[in-house]
Amino acid sequence: MKKEFTKQKKIVENFDQMNVNLSTEEFYDDLTKLANRKYFTESLSQFRNDEGNADIWVALLIIDVDYLRRYNDFHGPIEGNRAIQKIGDCLKKVIEKYGGVAGKFGGDEFVAFLKHISQSELKKIAEELRTSVEEMSLLYCSEQHAYALTISVGGVLGQCKQFDSMDDMNTIACKELNKSKINGKNQVTIYVK
């Protein structure tokens, strides 16, 4: 656990203006070892409120695991937790590759924050997240058919100064996530400010 904590801390420290004290484990999810909701709430609010970041393009992605309940019903909650861990590892690997921070918001919901990013880059990253999880082939059976767990992604992109708060970003990203889920799941929907 110490190794994972140290590695994630280094990634977060690369976000030079996110100055939340990461010396405690209270900022990490026990199951996935990713940054948790408290970390994102505190550090992204600090980042947003720093006047030097006003013109920086930032993105927030909210990621929801599709049909996790069916997976749990088929395999049981222990395997469901393992699936969440594997998905968390997959998301972290992709997001870190692009210099971002991935986290777990709770239950079957993840979050990612990226900065200095364009619309085309964000769409590419979100699609890479989606396909990477789908290609993991975490299978379950329902009505005599096999299905793979997938994710739905909602995101928002804009300059820091365009958002009233980080809650504003979260609200928009959640609305986009709902659109992805309503339109059939296993999709990406991005709003650009």
Side-chain angles (χ1 to χ4, degrees):
M1 172 149 165
K2 180 80 172 162
K3 184 178 176 183
E4 274 301 307
F5 178 79
T6 303
K7 183 179 177 186
Q8 184 73 9
K9 183 177 176 186
K10 283 185 177 187
I11 296 292
V12 172
E13 286 171 350
N14 287 333
F15 272 61
D16 47 22
Q17 290 136 357
M18 293 180 168
N19 296 318
V20 172
N21 180 0
L22 296 176
S23 62
T24 67
E25 293 181 17
E26 71 181 298
F27 290 109
Y28 293 89
D29 175 68
D30 288 337
L31 180 62
T32 62
K33 309 304 180 239
L34 295 175
N36 64 18
R37 181 183 290 267
K38 182 175 182 172
Y39 166 80
F40 273 88
T41 301
E42 292 183 22
S43 62
L44 297 185
S45 289
Q46 283 183 8
F47 183 83
R48 159 62 182 81
N49 293 333
D50 183 333
E51 289 181 20
N53 295 330
D55 294 325
I56 293 176
W57 283 86
V58 294
L60 185 71
L61 298 173
I62 305 292
I63 303 143
D64 188 67
V65 180
D66 302 322
Y67 304 114
L68 183 64
R69 183 171 180 178
R70 290 182 186 177
Y71 188 91
N72 282 342
D73 289 347
F74 185 77
H75 291 288
I78 291 173
E79 286 302 313
N81 283 343
R82 285 191 186 121
I84 288 290
Q85 288 171 325
K86 289 175 183 177
I87 291 169
D89 288 344
C90 177
L91 299 177
K92 180 176 129 182
K93 182 179 174 184
V94 172
I95 293 299
E96 286 180 357
K97 182 168 67 172
Y98 295 99
V101 177
K104 186 162 180 283
F105 253 26
D108 59 355
E109 197 169 80
F110 294 87
V111 62
F113 179 78
L114 300 121
K115 63 181 186 174
H116 303 293
I117 188 166
S118 70
Q119 182 177 355
S120 61
E121 290 169 325
L122 182 60
K123 182 72 172 172
K124 176 187 166 207
I125 293 166
E127 281 295 333
E128 185 176 339
L129 291 172
R130 188 191 65 72
T131 58
S132 294
V133 170
E134 187 174 33
E135 290 169 358
M136 291 172 62
S137 295
L138 296 169
L139 301 175
Y140 67 94
C141 291
S142 178
E143 299 175 6
Q144 299 180 352
H145 296 284
Y147 300 95
L149 282 180
T150 58
I151 58 171
S152 295
V153 182
V156 61
L157 171 70
Q159 290 177 294
C160 270
K161 65 185 174 188
Q162 294 177 301
F163 300 101
D164 295 331
S165 66
M166 293 315 285
D167 284 341
D168 183 30
M169 279 188 91
N170 186 50
T171 299
I172 296 167
C174 285
K175 285 180 183 176
E176 298 307 300
L177 172 63
N178 287 337
K179 289 177 187 176
S180 290
K181 294 192 89 60
I182 287 168
N183 291 328
K185 302 183 181 181
N186 193 24
Q187 295 185 29
V188 172
T189 310
I190 306 288
Y191 179 83
V192 180
K193 274 270 202 185

